[in-house]
Amino acid sequence: MNPLRIGWIGCGTHASEMLLPQLARHNVVLTALCDTDSARLAGIARRYGVRAEDCTSDAATLIARKDVEAIGMAIGPAAHVELGTAALARGLPVFMEKPPGADARGAHRLAEAARKADKPLVLGFMKRYSTANRIAINLVHKQEFGTPASFLGQYMTAPTYFAKDPDYTGFYLHHCVHYLDLIPHLMGAPVELLARRHELAPGKLLLHVDFRFASGALATLVMGTHQSRATPMEWWQVMGDHRRVEVRNVHEVRYFRAPEFKVGRPDATLDDAVDTLVWEPNLTVAANEDHKGYHALLGDFIALARGETRTAPSIADGVAAMTLLDAMIASAGSGRAIALP
């Protein structure tokens, strides 16, 4: 099979360190690159063997190329809407890092463009694809788990990460939005949201976000900008009836069922059917796992771009996440619960 010819827009730190290295592991060719920083563009071009004549600072020029079969981009909310819409209008499949716009209106624009073009728009919601998360998600979705009763989770970051963002817009758009996709993926669409905020000091924000679901299930998510990025930042748990699954630090999974007590049992042993299961990766084998999830996510995008069938985070998921984000920001400002469609 011939490699998929991809044009990439945006060569910043996230693209160069997270996305492009994983993209290059697939059967693709980086046909053209675009970035407004000429030195950065030249460096990425050297790394991936892209000719200078195939590099540009004008995204419209790249999108118009006849030798590009798909577009990838990691550039920012407003540009995602404008350039994503332009690429879809050209009939090109698009991979787009989150967020799909600065608000739900931008995401709706992209959704309409994808509908008209009848082309896939895949979003960078890689939390679904992290190996540990995938294991846990599949457990939650198994029939034996039953209807999830609750979600508890935390997803923190540091104040320095958003030091130039005094109104926390970047924190909302680039951090919070991940779990506003992951929670519905696990629990279904919420019907009510209530967010409470506490600002410890300028740049140090704490959010507690509560969700209610049509099934009666509940969720509480804690997010904030007042922890060190040198410590573990993530933990989540979903509970069912007499079972729960937990993921710690994006790499450890624990699945608790309903074992009998072992005390006083001379025949005590571990029972595959009821005792706790634990999974951790072998971190000494770097190529064996996809701890962040980008490799698997980009693999699904490439398959969709080729016309294959895959289940990947789409612009419909983006609209849902951005709708929750808008509601979260409004609720945190008013202190009132918001009913969701």
Side-chain angles (χ1 to χ4, degrees), residues 286-304:
N288 267 4
E289 303 296 344
D290 186 20
H291 311 302
K292 293 286 286 185
Y294 288 116
H295 184 259
L297 170 58
L298 288 163
D300 275 357
F301 166 66
I302 291 163
L304 285 165

Side-chain angles (χ1 to χ4, degrees), residues 8 10-26 30 44 47-48 73-74 95 97-98 124 126-127 129-130 155 161 174 178 229 234 250 289-299:
W8 190 272
C11 299
T13 301
H14 183 70
S16 63
E17 300 303 323
M18 296 289 186
L19 296 171
L20 291 173
Q22 297 298 333
L23 180 68
R25 291 173 60 196
H26 292 284
L30 278 174
I44 296 300
R47 185 184 301 179
Y48 294 103
M73 61 179 70
F95 171 83
E97 187 50 278
K98 50 71 190 158
M126 84 293 187
K127 296 296 180 187
Y129 284 81
S130 163
Y155 183 41
Y161 197 54
H174 299 288
H178 275 301
R229 285 177 63 80
E234 282 188 71
V250 202
E289 303 296 344
D290 186 20
H291 311 302
K292 293 286 286 185
Y294 288 116
H295 184 259
L297 170 58
L298 288 163

Side-chain angles (χ1 to χ4, degrees), residues 194-198 205-210 223 328 331-332 335:
L194 171 63
R196 299 176 179 89
R197 58 176 281 159
H198 170 42
L205 181 68
L206 172 65
L207 291 174
H208 279 219
V209 189
D210 295 325
M223 297 183 289
M328 184 194 78
S331 178

Side-chain angles (χ1 to χ4, degrees), residues 110-277:
L110 284 165
E112 179 61 15
R115 185 193 66 78
K116 287 182 178 178
D118 194 24
K119 293 294 179 180
L121 170 53
V122 173
L123 296 175
F125 288 137
M126 84 293 187
K127 296 296 180 187
R128 302 184 183 195
Y129 284 81
S130 163
T131 308
N133 280 0
R134 267 190 150 177
I135 291 169
I137 289 166
N138 288 334
L139 288 170
V140 170
H141 290 167
K142 274 188 171 183
Q143 186 174 359
E144 70 176 49
F145 194 89
T147 301
S150 75
F151 171 96
L152 296 172
Q154 65 179 33
Y155 183 41
M156 308 299 292
T157 187
T160 52
Y161 197 54
F162 300 105
K164 298 179 181 178
D165 182 27
D167 65 352
Y168 303 106
T169 299
F171 168 62
Y172 297 144
L173 290 172
H174 299 288
H175 186 90
C176 298
V177 73
H178 275 301
Y179 270 68
L180 299 181
D181 172 71
L182 182 63
I183 289 174
H185 188 56
L186 283 160
M187 304 288 293
V191 296
E192 186 179 76
L193 177 153
L194 171 63
R196 299 176 179 89
R197 58 176 281 159
H198 170 42
E199 191 172 34
L200 288 73
K204 298 179 180 179
L205 181 68
L206 172 65
L207 291 174
H208 279 219
V209 189
D210 295 325
F211 305 82
R212 184 171 59 83
F213 300 85
S215 65
L218 303 171
T220 297
L221 172 65
V222 179
M223 297 183 289
T225 65
H226 60 287
Q227 294 296 305
S228 167
R229 285 177 63 80
T231 64
M233 309 294 282
E234 282 188 71
W235 171 85
W236 64 263
Q237 173 199 87
V238 173
M239 286 197 289
D241 185 1
H242 279 79
R243 58 192 66 224
R244 68 187 189 273
V245 62
E246 298 178 357
V247 178
R248 294 182 177 274
N249 201 27
V250 202
H251 82 279
E252 180 188 295
V253 182
R254 291 180 179 267
Y255 185 31
F256 299 89
R257 276 85 59 86
E260 295 179 350
F261 289 110
K262 311 294 186 185
V263 176
R265 291 284 301 270
D267 62 341
T269 184
L270 291 176
D271 186 335
D272 292 345
V274 294
D275 280 307
T276 300
L277 299 175

